[in-house]
Amino acid sequence: MSHAARIAFFTLAPANLKAMISLSTSVKQSSLGERLVELLQLRVSQINGCGVCVDMHWRELIKQDANPRHINALAGWREAPFFSARERAALGWAEAVNALPQRDDTDAAYAELQQYFSATEIAELSYAVAAIKGWNLINLSLRNQIPEVPAPGF
């Protein structure tokens, strides 16, 4: 596999980029809170193997003063004591939605989710997963690389 970017997609389809950024911004401004959104985005990016997004969301959590040990344990969240029941329900939902359509185990995850989130929040969580999965697919398919030095503000 080549480690060179295939195209400079950030400059080639500005209307599409703007729409993706708008979706991502709206997800972060939802009622879920930025920390939970970043945790979900980091976890989905880990599963999908998107290095650019893993790097970005890890850095964002660090900026939010998240404990690095907690962030490091995210891949093993089921065994880690650092996550609340609400966060666990959200992480379970994110993993189940991310696995669609190859695997559909959303019934149990949805039942758990309903204990901690309103219908509006469930919709917001689902948009959060869709947004990061979209970024993961774009970055992976077009071989977007992790920058040595992150762009200012990222």
Side-chain angles (χ1 to χ4, degrees):
M1 177 177 79
S2 169
H3 291 285
R6 290 184 166 152
I7 58 174
F9 68 90
F10 284 110
T11 61
L12 297 172
N16 301 106
L17 176 64
K18 184 178 178 181
M20 286 292 290
I21 290 171
S22 180
L23 175 59
S24 295
T25 300
S26 71
V27 164
K28 286 186 179 189
Q29 294 172 348
S30 71
S31 65
L32 300 171
E34 283 192 52
R35 182 178 186 278
L36 181 58
V37 170
E38 291 296 340
L39 282 174
L40 294 180
Q41 291 178 331
L42 177 55
R43 182 63 190 129
V44 171
S45 297
Q46 288 172 335
I47 293 166
N48 293 335
C50 182
V52 170
C53 294
V54 166
D55 180 64
M56 180 186 306
H57 298 294
W58 176 88
R59 283 185 287 108
E60 193 57 42
L61 283 161
I62 291 297
K63 282 184 200 174
Q64 295 176 14
D65 292 324
N67 184 320
R69 188 167 174 232
H70 297 186
I71 300 169
N72 189 53
L74 184 59
W77 64 268
R78 286 176 179 82
E79 290 78 32
F82 310 123
F83 305 99
S84 70
R86 187 174 193 267
E87 289 169 333
R88 291 174 184 284
L91 289 164
W93 180 249
E95 289 186 4
V97 171
N98 186 60
L100 292 170
Q102 289 80 13
R103 188 182 80 231
D104 185 352
D105 57 355
T106 56
D107 289 342
Y110 187 75
E112 180 74 13
L113 199 64
Q114 289 180 300
Q115 295 179 43
Y116 302 98
F117 294 92
S118 69
T120 297
E121 291 170 324
I122 292 170
E124 291 172 339
L125 285 165
S126 301
Y127 278 111
V129 175
I132 193 58
K133 189 166 185 169
W135 283 116
N136 292 166
L137 295 173
I138 292 166
N139 283 310
L140 288 166
S141 65
L142 298 177
R143 306 273 192 262
N144 192 21
Q145 301 297 298
I146 301 171
E148 278 294 319
V149 178
F154 285 96

